[in-house]
Amino acid sequence: MCGFPRPTDTVTPRHSRGQERVITGNRQTSWAFADAYVAEDEALHWARDRAREAGLRSVTPGTGAALRLLAASVDAKAVAEIGTGCGVSGIHLLNGMRPDGVLTTVDPEPEHQQFARQAFRACGFASNRARFIPGRALDVLPRLADAGYDLVFCDGDRLEVMDYLAESLRLLRTGGLVVFEGAFANGRTVDSGPQPTEVLRLRELLRAVRESQELVPSLLPVGDGLLCAVKR
Protein backbone atom coordinates (compact mmCIF):
# COMPACT_ATOMS: atom_id res chain seq x y z
CA MET A 1 0.00 0.00 0.00
CA CYS A 2 1.37 3.41 -0.96
CA GLY A 3 2.03 6.00 1.70
CA PHE A 4 0.93 9.59 1.22
CA PRO A 5 3.52 12.10 -0.04
CA ARG A 6 4.30 15.13 2.04
CA PRO A 7 5.06 17.97 -0.38
CA THR A 8 5.16 21.60 0.64
CA ASP A 9 1.43 21.99 0.03
CA THR A 10 -1.25 20.65 2.33
CA VAL A 11 -3.55 17.93 1.10
CA THR A 12 -6.73 16.97 2.87
CA PRO A 13 -6.82 13.16 3.36
CA ARG A 14 -9.63 11.25 1.71
CA HIS A 15 -10.98 7.80 2.21
CA SER A 16 -9.94 5.08 -0.18
CA ARG A 17 -12.20 4.87 -3.21
CA GLY A 18 -12.87 1.80 -5.31
CA GLN A 19 -14.75 -1.41 -4.87
CA GLU A 20 -16.86 -0.08 -2.04
CA ARG A 21 -18.13 2.91 -4.05
CA VAL A 22 -21.87 2.88 -4.67
CA ILE A 23 -22.81 2.62 -8.34
CA THR A 24 -25.79 4.92 -8.76
CA GLY A 25 -28.49 4.56 -11.38
CA ASN A 26 -26.97 7.02 -13.83
CA ARG A 27 -23.62 5.18 -13.81
CA GLN A 28 -24.90 1.76 -14.83
CA THR A 29 -22.55 1.41 -17.77
CA SER A 30 -19.63 -0.91 -18.25
CA TRP A 31 -16.99 1.83 -18.35
CA ALA A 32 -18.29 3.42 -15.15
CA PHE A 33 -18.28 0.10 -13.34
CA ALA A 34 -14.73 -0.63 -14.59
CA ASP A 35 -13.52 2.64 -13.05
CA ALA A 36 -15.49 2.19 -9.82
CA TYR A 37 -14.18 -1.36 -9.41
CA VAL A 38 -10.59 -0.19 -9.01
CA ALA A 39 -9.46 0.89 -5.54
CA GLU A 40 -6.85 3.65 -5.63
CA ASP A 41 -4.96 4.81 -2.56
CA GLU A 42 -3.97 8.27 -1.32
CA ALA A 43 -0.72 8.53 -3.30
CA LEU A 44 -2.62 8.00 -6.54
CA HIS A 45 -5.27 10.54 -5.50
CA TRP A 46 -2.46 13.01 -4.71
CA ALA A 47 -0.86 12.46 -8.12
CA ARG A 48 -4.25 12.93 -9.78
CA ASP A 49 -4.77 16.20 -7.90
CA ARG A 50 -1.37 17.53 -9.01
CA ALA A 51 -2.18 16.61 -12.61
CA ARG A 52 -5.57 18.34 -12.39
CA GLU A 53 -3.95 21.50 -11.00
CA ALA A 54 -1.44 21.45 -13.86
CA GLY A 55 -4.21 21.06 -16.43
CA LEU A 56 -3.14 17.53 -17.33
CA ARG A 57 -5.38 14.58 -18.16
CA SER A 58 -4.63 11.44 -16.15
CA VAL A 59 -5.54 7.90 -17.14
CA THR A 60 -8.79 6.69 -15.55
CA PRO A 61 -8.69 4.07 -12.77
CA GLY A 62 -9.95 1.46 -15.24
CA THR A 63 -7.20 2.35 -17.72
CA GLY A 64 -4.62 2.23 -14.93
CA ALA A 65 -5.80 -1.23 -13.92
CA ALA A 66 -5.52 -2.37 -17.54
CA LEU A 67 -1.95 -1.03 -17.71
CA ARG A 68 -1.08 -2.90 -14.53
CA LEU A 69 -2.54 -6.08 -15.97
CA LEU A 70 -0.72 -5.68 -19.30
CA ALA A 71 2.61 -5.08 -17.57
CA ALA A 72 2.09 -8.18 -15.44
CA SER A 73 1.01 -10.27 -18.45
CA VAL A 74 4.38 -9.79 -20.16
CA ASP A 75 6.31 -10.07 -16.86
CA ALA A 76 7.70 -6.64 -17.70
CA LYS A 77 11.20 -5.83 -16.52
CA ALA A 78 11.76 -2.83 -18.79
CA VAL A 79 8.96 -0.41 -19.68
CA ALA A 80 9.20 2.87 -21.60
CA GLU A 81 6.56 5.52 -20.98
CA ILE A 82 5.95 8.53 -23.23
CA GLY A 83 4.31 11.16 -21.04
CA THR A 84 5.14 10.99 -17.34
CA GLY A 85 2.49 13.47 -16.29
CA CYS A 86 2.39 13.51 -12.50
CA GLY A 87 2.88 9.76 -12.12
CA VAL A 88 -0.59 8.20 -12.21
CA SER A 89 0.05 5.83 -15.11
CA GLY A 90 3.59 5.16 -13.91
CA ILE A 91 2.35 3.92 -10.52
CA HIS A 92 -0.02 1.48 -12.21
CA LEU A 93 2.72 0.26 -14.55
CA LEU A 94 5.20 -0.23 -11.71
CA ASN A 95 2.61 -2.14 -9.71
CA GLY A 96 2.31 -4.62 -12.59
CA MET A 97 6.00 -4.95 -13.36
CA ARG A 98 8.48 -7.38 -11.85
CA PRO A 99 9.93 -6.31 -8.48
CA ASP A 100 13.26 -5.64 -10.21
CA GLY A 101 11.65 -3.86 -13.18
CA VAL A 102 12.64 -0.36 -14.27
CA LEU A 103 10.29 2.22 -15.76
CA THR A 104 11.92 4.68 -18.17
CA THR A 105 9.60 7.66 -18.37
CA VAL A 106 9.95 10.65 -20.70
CA ASP A 107 8.28 14.05 -20.40
CA PRO A 108 9.16 17.58 -21.58
CA GLU A 109 8.16 19.07 -18.19
CA PRO A 110 10.68 18.39 -15.37
CA GLU A 111 8.27 19.91 -12.81
CA HIS A 112 5.68 17.25 -13.62
CA GLN A 113 8.30 14.57 -13.26
CA GLN A 114 9.19 15.88 -9.83
CA PHE A 115 5.61 15.32 -8.72
CA ALA A 116 5.83 11.80 -10.15
CA ARG A 117 9.03 11.17 -8.14
CA GLN A 118 7.21 12.15 -4.95
CA ALA A 119 4.27 9.90 -5.76
CA PHE A 120 6.53 6.93 -6.59
CA ARG A 121 8.44 7.42 -3.36
CA ALA A 122 5.19 7.55 -1.39
CA CYS A 123 4.25 4.19 -2.93
CA GLY A 124 7.46 2.68 -1.58
CA PHE A 125 9.18 2.23 -4.94
CA ALA A 126 12.97 2.40 -4.66
CA SER A 127 14.54 5.30 -6.54
CA ASN A 128 16.22 2.90 -8.97
CA ARG A 129 12.83 1.55 -10.11
CA ALA A 130 12.25 4.63 -12.31
CA ARG A 131 14.48 6.49 -14.74
CA PHE A 132 13.20 10.00 -15.44
CA ILE A 133 14.33 11.59 -18.70
CA PRO A 134 13.20 15.16 -19.34
CA GLY A 135 12.82 16.10 -22.97
CA ARG A 136 10.74 15.75 -26.10
CA ALA A 137 9.93 12.08 -26.74
CA LEU A 138 11.15 12.04 -30.34
CA ASP A 139 14.51 13.40 -29.19
CA VAL A 140 14.86 10.85 -26.37
CA LEU A 141 13.48 7.62 -27.86
CA PRO A 142 16.18 7.21 -30.53
CA ARG A 143 18.73 6.99 -27.70
CA LEU A 144 17.01 3.98 -26.11
CA ALA A 145 18.15 0.41 -26.86
CA ASP A 146 16.77 -1.63 -29.75
CA ALA A 147 14.57 -4.56 -28.62
CA GLY A 148 15.29 -3.59 -25.01
CA TYR A 149 11.73 -3.15 -23.73
CA ASP A 150 8.83 -5.40 -22.81
CA LEU A 151 6.18 -2.68 -23.03
CA VAL A 152 5.97 0.84 -24.44
CA PHE A 153 3.14 3.06 -23.20
CA CYS A 154 2.37 6.11 -25.34
CA ASP A 155 0.46 9.02 -23.80
CA GLY A 156 2.10 12.00 -25.45
CA ASP A 157 1.46 14.39 -28.32
CA ARG A 158 -1.25 12.91 -30.54
CA LEU A 159 0.26 14.62 -33.57
CA GLU A 160 3.31 12.36 -33.12
CA VAL A 161 1.60 9.00 -32.64
CA MET A 162 2.81 7.54 -35.95
CA ASP A 163 6.39 8.37 -34.97
CA TYR A 164 5.79 6.80 -31.55
CA LEU A 165 4.60 3.64 -33.28
CA ALA A 166 7.74 3.43 -35.43
CA GLU A 167 9.99 3.95 -32.40
CA SER A 168 8.02 1.43 -30.34
CA LEU A 169 8.46 -1.29 -32.95
CA ARG A 170 12.20 -0.73 -32.75
CA LEU A 171 12.29 -0.63 -28.95
CA LEU A 172 10.15 -3.71 -28.30
CA ARG A 173 11.34 -7.27 -28.05
CA THR A 174 9.39 -9.97 -29.84
CA GLY A 175 6.27 -10.60 -27.75
CA GLY A 176 6.37 -7.10 -26.27
CA LEU A 177 3.40 -4.74 -26.08
CA VAL A 178 2.81 -1.25 -27.45
CA VAL A 179 -0.08 0.62 -25.84
CA PHE A 180 -1.65 3.96 -26.85
CA GLU A 181 -3.96 5.90 -24.54
CA GLY A 182 -6.80 8.09 -25.84
CA ALA A 183 -7.68 6.17 -29.00
CA PHE A 184 -11.33 7.31 -28.83
CA ALA A 185 -10.48 11.04 -28.53
CA ASN A 186 -13.68 11.59 -26.56
CA GLY A 187 -15.72 10.00 -29.33
CA ARG A 188 -14.26 12.09 -32.13
CA THR A 189 -12.35 9.20 -33.68
CA VAL A 190 -15.60 7.71 -34.99
CA ASP A 191 -17.42 11.01 -35.53
CA SER A 192 -18.19 11.59 -39.22
CA GLY A 193 -17.89 15.38 -38.96
CA PRO A 194 -14.76 17.46 -39.67
CA GLN A 195 -12.04 16.73 -37.12
CA PRO A 196 -8.75 18.36 -36.05
CA THR A 197 -5.43 17.02 -37.24
CA GLU A 198 -4.76 15.13 -34.01
CA VAL A 199 -7.90 13.04 -34.53
CA LEU A 200 -6.89 12.32 -38.13
CA ARG A 201 -3.52 11.11 -36.82
CA LEU A 202 -5.30 8.78 -34.37
CA ARG A 203 -7.37 7.35 -37.21
CA GLU A 204 -4.17 6.80 -39.19
CA LEU A 205 -2.65 5.06 -36.18
CA LEU A 206 -5.66 2.80 -35.72
CA ARG A 207 -5.52 1.72 -39.37
CA ALA A 208 -1.77 1.19 -39.30
CA VAL A 209 -1.87 -0.98 -36.18
CA ARG A 210 -4.82 -3.01 -37.46
CA GLU A 211 -3.20 -3.63 -40.86
CA SER A 212 0.37 -4.23 -39.66
CA GLN A 213 1.76 -7.72 -40.24
CA GLU A 214 4.09 -7.14 -37.28
CA LEU A 215 1.37 -6.62 -34.70
CA VAL A 216 -1.54 -8.47 -33.09
CA PRO A 217 -3.92 -5.63 -32.09
CA SER A 218 -6.86 -5.05 -29.77
CA LEU A 219 -8.80 -1.91 -28.87
CA LEU A 220 -9.88 -1.98 -25.22
CA PRO A 221 -12.95 0.11 -24.27
CA VAL A 222 -11.55 1.49 -21.02
CA GLY A 223 -11.13 5.17 -20.27
CA ASP A 224 -10.74 7.06 -23.55
CA GLY A 225 -9.79 3.92 -25.44
CA LEU A 226 -6.64 1.84 -25.02
CA LEU A 227 -5.09 0.62 -28.26
CA CYS A 228 -2.86 -2.40 -27.58
CA ALA A 229 -0.78 -4.60 -29.85
CA VAL A 230 1.71 -7.43 -29.39
CA LYS A 231 4.83 -7.40 -31.56
CA ARG A 232 5.17 -10.69 -33.45
Side-chain angles (χ1 to χ4, degrees), residues 102 121 149 186:
V102 176
R121 185 164 54 247
Y149 293 83
N186 295 317

Side-chain angles (χ1 to χ4, degrees), residues 134-178:
R136 180 171 171 263
L138 295 182
D139 294 331
V140 174
L141 296 177
R143 307 202 303 263
L144 304 183
D146 292 5
Y149 293 83
D150 305 299
L151 188 154
V152 179
F153 175 55
C154 305
D155 189 16
D157 188 340
R158 288 175 176 171
L159 295 175
E160 299 177 341
V161 289
M162 292 302 296
D163 296 309
Y164 297 162
L165 176 62
E167 285 295 327
S168 297
L169 289 173
R170 179 185 63 79
L171 293 172
L172 286 170
R173 62 166 174 82
T174 299
L177 275 165
V178 59

Side-chain angles (χ1 to χ4, degrees), residues 3-219:
F4 190 63
R6 300 183 181 276
T8 53
D9 55 326
T10 301
V11 181
T12 301
R14 288 173 293 183
H15 293 295
S16 187
R17 298 192 296 247
Q19 293 169 314
E20 72 283 2
R21 188 194 305 169
V22 174
I23 308 298
T24 59
N26 65 351
R27 291 177 64 86
Q28 293 294 337
T29 59
S30 58
W31 61 264
F33 185 77
D35 277 344
Y37 178 75
V38 180
E40 293 192 333
D41 57 29
E42 291 299 331
L44 271 165
H45 294 321
W46 182 88
R48 287 189 183 282
D49 287 343
R50 302 291 78 71
R52 190 178 304 110
E53 291 166 2
L56 300 177
R57 175 180 50 84
S58 298
V59 299
T60 67
T63 300
L67 292 174
R68 184 175 70 230
L69 176 69
L70 291 170
S73 71
V74 293
D75 195 28
K77 184 175 182 179
V79 172
E81 178 184 45
I82 300 170
T84 308
C86 293
V88 175
S89 54
I91 290 172
H92 283 292
L93 287 165
L94 283 165
N95 278 328
M97 293 169 65
R98 290 169 46 165
D100 60 344
V102 176
L103 173 69
T104 297
T105 183
V106 181
D107 198 285
E109 298 294 337
E111 181 182 359
H112 298 163
Q113 291 191 321
Q114 186 57 36
F115 286 133
R117 285 180 191 274
Q118 291 177 313
F120 290 0
R121 185 164 54 247
C123 282
F125 297 121
S127 60
N128 63 359
R129 291 291 312 280
R131 178 170 59 148
F132 293 90
I133 305 179
R136 180 171 171 263
L138 295 182
D139 294 331
V140 174
L141 296 177
R143 307 202 303 263
L144 304 183
D146 292 5
Y149 293 83
D150 305 299
L151 188 154
V152 179
F153 175 55
C154 305
D155 189 16
D157 188 340
R158 288 175 176 171
L159 295 175
E160 299 177 341
V161 289
M162 292 302 296
D163 296 309
Y164 297 162
L165 176 62
E167 285 295 327
S168 297
L169 289 173
R170 179 185 63 79
L171 293 172
L172 286 170
R173 62 166 174 82
T174 299
L177 275 165
V178 59
V179 182
F180 288 86
E181 204 280 328
F184 294 160
N186 295 317
R188 293 178 299 170
T189 304
V190 296
D191 193 319
S192 59
Q195 297 297 335
T197 303
E198 67 175 32
V199 175
L200 301 182
R201 290 287 181 274
L202 283 172
R203 290 175 178 172
E204 184 181 358
L205 172 71
L206 286 161
R207 286 192 297 269
V209 170
R210 182 181 59 195
E211 296 169 5
S212 173
Q213 298 301 305
E214 293 183 77
L215 296 169
V216 179
S218 181
L219 182 54

